[in-house]
Amino acid sequence: MKIQMVDVVGQYRKIKPEIDAAIGAVLESGMFIQGKEVGDLERAAARLLGVEHAIGCASGTDALQIALMALGVGPGDEVITTPFTFVATAETIGILGARPVYVDIDPLTYNIDPARIDAAITPGTKAIIPVHLYGQPADMDPILAVARARGIPVIEDAAQAMGASYRGRKVCALGTVGCISFFPSKNLGCFGDGGMVVTNDARLAESIRMIAAHGSRERYYHEVLGLNSRLDTIQAAVLLAKLPHLEEFNAARRHAAARYNELLADLPVTLPSCARGADHIFHQYTLRAPRRDALAAFLKSRGIPHAIYYPVPLHLQKAFVMSGGARGDFPVAEQAAAEVISLPMHTELTEDQLAFVTETVREFYAQPGETHNPR
Ligand SMILES: Cc1ncc(COP(=O)(O)O)c(C=O)c1O
């Protein structure tokens, strides 16, 4: 049975006429940069998220960098974030000459542990970036409470959580700025790179828009140093066609996760936990698994794709020597990195595929001695 980790083509085929028409209209218009669809998408996304301003940009990575630049983060500053995330979260901090300051994660949700943030704040702290990892909102209320008390802006890295809500409000609308990725495999994915920055702060929005366009409000007049970071019109058109389906896409992922949970319930793996008030949209379906690496090899031998998000926490990555991390600094993140494994997750998974994946996991743990092996 052929199973893919993500099935972007299957999703495309389902809504092919809508997507083809949307792309065709852009091709006919010739407005490949800053065409009408970009503004239409920005307004539609702002409405969906319940924010005042949405600005398209070239990727989720750029969205983070632009947000940091708009908040004035620069050399010598500190930005608090999680060590258990995709590199872009901290890379954008480092690229601006600032230093990522890590805070360990909650062992159940894998998101930044709000209780540890206050102790990491110094006079140099310029922002806090919680990540809604795997599609599960970080525990924003206590994060925002600490940030508010200390007067520090919060950038939500919602690259993996487009459409997720926390206590009834969409993520991205909770902090000072929200950052989205439209990378093809994301919950709302385009057919290349794409991203968006959102905020309720009008002045910040103006600055974000300017930074994304070479630091310019008016063509050839440059007020600050910026980037060339635009969302292509074709990508905006694809996203506009997909946006009305986002709820249904996220529901399909939730359904697949619920089936995985049922089918794996009696196995010695730790299922994903959903925090109260956080509406998990399962960008990834991630287990903690005893003998993780042996399980991964077993799945591979049966042709089942899987992934480790992420095998090395950022404080142990060579690129982040400026943060001075050492093994043992963030034990919860380190343990998660050694134990997590993500199974195929996308909107097109069939019952047969779910059964095949879970039966293979069952087969692995049914091998003599497997269940009793230590982690
Ligand atoms: C948590 C997180 N932040 C940021 C990004 C960067 O997004 P992009 O790939 O669109 O640059 C990603 C994408 O993989 C991500 O997962």
Side-chain angles (χ1 to χ4, degrees):
M1 182 178 297
K2 187 169 170 358
I3 301 179
Q4 299 179 76
M5 195 66 192
V6 237
D7 184 3
V8 289
V9 176
Q11 188 184 73
Y12 161 60
R13 287 198 185 117
K14 244 188 187 159
I15 52 170
K16 182 172 159 48
E18 294 155 66
I19 302 239
D20 288 357
I23 293 176
V26 179
L27 296 183
E28 287 298 336
S29 80
M31 297 295 290
F32 303 135
I33 302 289
Q34 300 296 40
K36 158 183 174 305
E37 287 80 358
V38 176
D40 289 349
L41 176 72
E42 289 176 344
R43 283 183 291 278
R47 252 192 325 273
L48 182 129
L49 297 171
V51 292
E52 293 287 323
H53 310 277
I55 299 104
C57 65
S59 68
T61 305
D62 275 9
L64 288 162
Q65 182 170 338
I66 293 165
L68 288 162
M69 288 169 78
L71 289 168
V73 172
D77 292 338
E78 294 175 8
V79 177
I80 291 175
T81 192
T82 158
F84 196 57
T85 177
F86 181 62
V87 64
T89 316
E91 182 183 39
T92 49
I93 301 167
I95 222 84
L96 292 172
R99 195 165 70 88
V101 172
Y102 302 113
V103 164
D104 214 345
I105 57 169
D106 176 291
L108 295 177
T109 63
Y110 308 107
N111 282 324
I112 195 167
D113 182 349
R116 299 175 193 255
I117 293 177
D118 198 59
I121 294 174
T122 73
T125 308
K126 288 291 164 2
I128 302 170
I129 311 186
V131 179
H132 306 304
L133 198 72
Y134 304 148
Q136 168 148 237
D139 193 5
M140 290 301 290
D141 279 349
I143 295 171
L144 293 170
V146 175
R148 226 173 274 130
R150 301 290 209 114
I152 299 168
V154 172
I155 301 172
E156 290 177 73
D157 182 342
Q160 302 187 4
M162 178 60 173
S165 15
Y166 173 82
R167 305 203 168 151
R169 291 173 64 200
K170 294 288 186 206
V171 301
C172 275
L174 305 164
T176 318
V177 192
C179 298
I180 302 161
S181 163
F182 297 129
F183 186 80
S185 62
K186 295 295 196 277
N187 288 47
L188 182 65
C190 59
F191 295 169
D193 278 307
M196 190 168 268
V197 193
V198 307
T199 182
N200 282 314
D201 181 325
R203 280 183 52 187
L204 209 49
E206 209 175 315
S207 171
I208 288 164
R209 201 171 278 288
M210 192 158 69
I211 290 167
H214 292 296
S216 146
R217 248 184 278 244
E218 193 184 338
R219 217 173 193 183
Y220 306 127
Y221 292 82
H222 305 276
E223 298 173 40
V224 293
L225 292 180
L227 306 172
N228 172 15
S229 187
R230 291 173 292 225
L231 180 63
D232 291 345
T233 313
I234 286 182
Q235 302 305 348
V238 168
L239 293 162
L240 263 177
K242 281 192 174 188
L243 197 64
H245 299 282
L246 180 61
E247 283 299 318
E248 146 204 340
F249 291 161
N250 285 341
R253 287 173 181 272
R254 261 191 235 110
H255 174 75
R259 287 298 291 140
Y260 269 140
N261 283 346
E262 285 163 15
L263 297 165
L264 296 168
D266 58 330
L267 297 183
V269 292
T270 306
L271 303 178
S273 80
C274 297
R276 215 149 24 113
D279 157 45
H280 197 326
I281 53 163
F282 290 95
H283 174 59
Q284 302 297 345
Y285 181 84
T286 304
L287 303 168
R288 276 187 200 259
R291 304 242 307 130
R292 192 267 315 270
D293 293 340
L295 171 63
F298 189 77
L299 292 174
K300 188 169 177 211
S301 74
R302 300 299 161 98
I304 296 180
H306 56 272
I308 311 298
Y309 304 116
Y310 298 93
V312 182
L314 297 185
H315 67 287
L316 300 178
Q317 298 273 4
K318 221 164 126 189
F320 292 101
V321 283
M322 79 289 256
S323 293
R327 193 162 292 283
D329 285 355
F330 304 102
V332 188
E334 288 169 32
Q335 193 176 346
E339 295 178 353
V340 293
I341 183 164
S342 300
L343 300 181
M345 173 52 77
H346 53 80
T347 56
E348 312 304 311
L349 280 170
T350 64
E351 188 59 34
D352 283 352
Q353 290 174 327
L354 291 162
F356 182 58
V357 173
T358 52
E359 274 314 306
T360 311
V361 176
R362 178 176 304 281
E363 206 186 317
F364 172 75
Y365 286 110
Q367 297 174 114
E370 274 309 335
T371 347
H372 306 295
N373 273 331
R375 288 187 174 182

